Amino acid sequence: MPRLSKTRYALLGALSVRPGSGYDIKKFCDNTLAFFWAENYGQIYPVLRQLEEEGLVSKETEIAEGRPPRNVYHITDEGRAELNDWLLLPLEPATVRMELILKLVFAADIPATNLIEKLAEKKAKEEKTLEYLVGAEGRLRNGPQDRKGLHLWLAGVSAGKHFASATIAWCEETIAMLQQYGPENRNSE
Amino acid sequence: MPRLSKTRYALLGALSVRPGSGYDIKKFCDNTLAFFWAENYGQIYPVLRQLEEEGLVSKETEIAEGRPPRNVYHITDEGRAELNDWLLLPLEPATVRMELILKLVFAADIPATNLIEKLAEKKAKEEKTLEYLVGAEGRLRNGPQDRKGLHLWLAGVSAGKHFASATIAWCEETIAMLQQYGPENRNSE
DNA sequence: ATGCACATGTAAGCTGTTACATGATTTC
DNA sequence: GAAATCATGTAACAGCTTACATGTGCAT
């Protein structure tokens, strides 16, 4: 038995926040869920159709002049029920695959400078993430205080901040460690 | 163009540490790489054959009485070169999918007690991971000091410790926050 | 007797990515 | 005139997971 597709629930969740089109959902993923969830069109459109067939969402086609027709989806009561059922299900074991660490542990023959470069890049990326998260936190705190599940969104943002900070700290620590070994290729000793 | 299969490199990396069978590699993943990499037999055996066809690894079949034959693989010079090339390649953007956070942000209608339970489970799991990592660190520090890339393995373990600690801290913070809302279902306010 | 460790492998099926196809409108 | 945004979708392919198939020896 294959694992449960989580795309279904991500879409249902997005539509539970507000109705929208596949395009809207993609934007929602890229803007709001970005640091903890990703979806792409190749998954969104087929799964949306599937959800509609199952009666978990309903479709309304909006036609406006001079722009492509929009298929706006709304979550149904059955969809909400399905989403809530899933929320209570235990977390499935996720496949861990951290490419940077895998590379690092096998990198005994690689010059330290190359590794430092990779770590610095990673650090820079995480600093951008952290910046974005601080911004998101501010927007949430200054936004409408009756937003549904506001404190849960804040908790999500906080998770991101914790992870980003941990990653940054580790990158710094590891860069410092590698620099101690000197500029030569001394990883194998 | 599809993403590069990383299984190839994980196997090549494992065999660069020491030669072994598919079974050995699986154990290596489960024991040593566990917290940052996973592989399963369904990938290992076919990819191993493929690597052999490409001349990146060589196979020796060991036959011993009373036990199944073992196919022991050794990395070749070409294999090492391929591995080292990959190590220098930039990190591919990874798909982020944190199920717990996805569930959390959509959980406004779920009683806080259920969320706290999930967070407590996650925390317990991460505490086990942390314990394991501390053990692994001790074994590395007390093991042979000429082990190839020892400090890189220690850096990997350190990454795990950072992440696990960050996760534990976040779980505690979030549990406390949810408890402040009281035992009732008050997530939507 | 039961289960675990050893040991290799395949097949089905789902999941997910990329690239392609199409085309209008708005912004620079 | 070019590029970005809006908007929907498909097809091909790769990658990965699960379940299954098979069998011995050892420990409890």
Side-chain angles (χ1 to χ4, degrees):
Chain A
M1 228 149 287
R3 283 195 192 157
L4 223 46
S5 163
K6 277 157 211 150
T7 296
R8 298 166 57 79
Y9 303 105
L11 301 191
L12 248 15
L15 294 176
S16 81
V17 171
R18 88 177 67 83
S21 64
Y23 190 82
D24 293 335
I25 292 175
K26 173 68 170 142
K27 272 203 304 183
F28 180 72
C29 289
D30 291 348
N31 299 333
T32 309
L33 310 182
F35 89 89
F36 64 91
W37 205 263
E39 288 295 347
N40 56 48
Y41 289 126
Q43 285 283 95
I44 291 172
Y45 287 113
V47 173
L48 230 27
R49 159 184 286 207
Q50 198 186 303
L51 290 172
E52 197 203 349
E53 276 164 19
E54 293 176 54
L56 304 178
V57 302
S58 65
K59 184 168 85 174
E60 271 176 50
T61 304
E62 282 179 3
I63 295 171
E65 263 181 75
R67 32 181 68 246
R70 278 165 58 81
N71 295 325
V72 178
Y73 293 87
H74 295 252
I75 191 167
T76 62
D77 290 342
E78 294 78 40
R80 264 179 214 281
E82 175 100 353
L83 174 62
N84 286 333
D85 286 349
W86 176 70
L87 292 176
L88 292 173
L89 252 40
L91 301 178
E92 289 193 32
T95 322
V96 238
R97 292 200 139 186
M98 304 191 197
E99 192 186 337
L100 177 56
I101 307 186
L102 187 73
K103 283 188 161 157
L104 204 64
V105 298
F106 295 139
D109 295 331
I110 303 295
T113 44
N114 288 289
L115 303 182
I116 289 170
E117 200 187 313
K118 280 209 187 308
L119 288 162
E121 272 167 34
K122 179 74 173 177
K123 188 189 157 198
K125 213 183 122 196
E126 291 297 319
E127 276 165 349
K128 286 226 160 176
T129 302
L130 192 53
E131 224 173 275
Y132 156 77
L133 287 167
V134 170
E137 193 185 4
R139 283 191 297 281
L140 281 170
R141 286 200 196 282
N142 297 322
Q145 291 305 298
D146 61 340
R147 176 171 173 157
K148 201 179 175 192
L150 172 62
H151 63 303
L152 298 174
W153 284 95
L154 284 169
V157 169
S158 175
K161 284 170 66 183
H162 272 100
F163 296 144
S165 304
T167 306
I168 291 166
W170 173 72
C171 287
E172 284 170 357
E173 169 197 306
T174 306
I175 288 169
M177 184 274 287
L178 288 171
Q179 278 165 345
Q180 276 206 322
Y181 278 79
E184 320 93 48
N185 175 3
R186 287 242 159 277
N187 281 322
S188 6
E189 280 172 35
Chain B
M1 227 149 287
R3 283 194 191 159
L4 221 46
S5 163
K6 278 157 210 148
T7 296
R8 296 167 59 80
Y9 303 104
L11 301 190
L12 248 17
L15 294 176
S16 81
V17 172
R18 89 178 66 83
S21 63
Y23 189 82
D24 293 335
I25 292 174
K26 171 70 169 140
K27 272 203 305 184
F28 181 72
C29 290
D30 291 348
N31 299 334
T32 308
L33 310 182
F35 89 89
F36 64 91
W37 205 261
E39 288 295 346
N40 56 50
Y41 289 127
Q43 285 283 95
I44 291 172
Y45 288 114
V47 173
L48 231 26
R49 159 184 287 205
Q50 199 186 303
L51 290 172
E52 198 204 350
E53 277 164 19
E54 293 176 54
L56 304 178
V57 303
S58 65
K59 183 169 84 172
E60 272 176 49
T61 304
E62 284 178 3
I63 294 172
E65 263 180 75
R67 35 180 66 247
R70 274 165 62 80
N71 296 324
V72 177
Y73 292 87
H74 296 251
I75 191 167
T76 63
D77 290 342
E78 294 79 40
R80 264 179 214 282
E82 175 100 355
L83 174 63
N84 286 335
D85 286 348
W86 176 71
L87 292 175
L88 292 173
L89 250 41
L91 301 179
E92 289 193 31
T95 322
V96 241
R97 292 200 139 187
M98 304 191 197
E99 192 186 338
L100 178 55
I101 307 186
L102 187 73
K103 283 189 160 156
L104 205 62
V105 298
F106 295 139
D109 294 332
I110 303 294
T113 45
N114 288 288
L115 303 182
I116 289 170
E117 201 187 312
K118 281 212 186 307
L119 288 161
E121 272 166 33
K122 179 72 174 178
K123 187 190 158 198
K125 213 182 122 197
E126 291 298 318
E127 277 165 348
K128 287 226 158 173
T129 302
L130 191 53
E131 225 174 272
Y132 156 78
L133 288 167
V134 169
E137 193 185 4
R139 284 191 296 281
L140 281 170
R141 287 201 195 281
N142 297 321
Q145 290 305 299
D146 62 339
R147 176 172 173 156
K148 199 180 177 192
L150 172 62
H151 63 304
L152 297 175
W153 285 94
L154 284 169
V157 168
S158 175
K161 285 171 67 184
H162 273 98
F163 297 143
S165 304
T167 307
I168 291 167
W170 173 72
C171 286
E172 283 169 357
E173 169 196 307
T174 307
I175 288 169
M177 182 274 285
L178 289 171
Q179 278 166 346
Q180 276 205 321
Y181 279 79
E184 319 94 49
N185 175 4
R186 286 241 159 275
N187 279 323
S188 4
E189 283 173 32

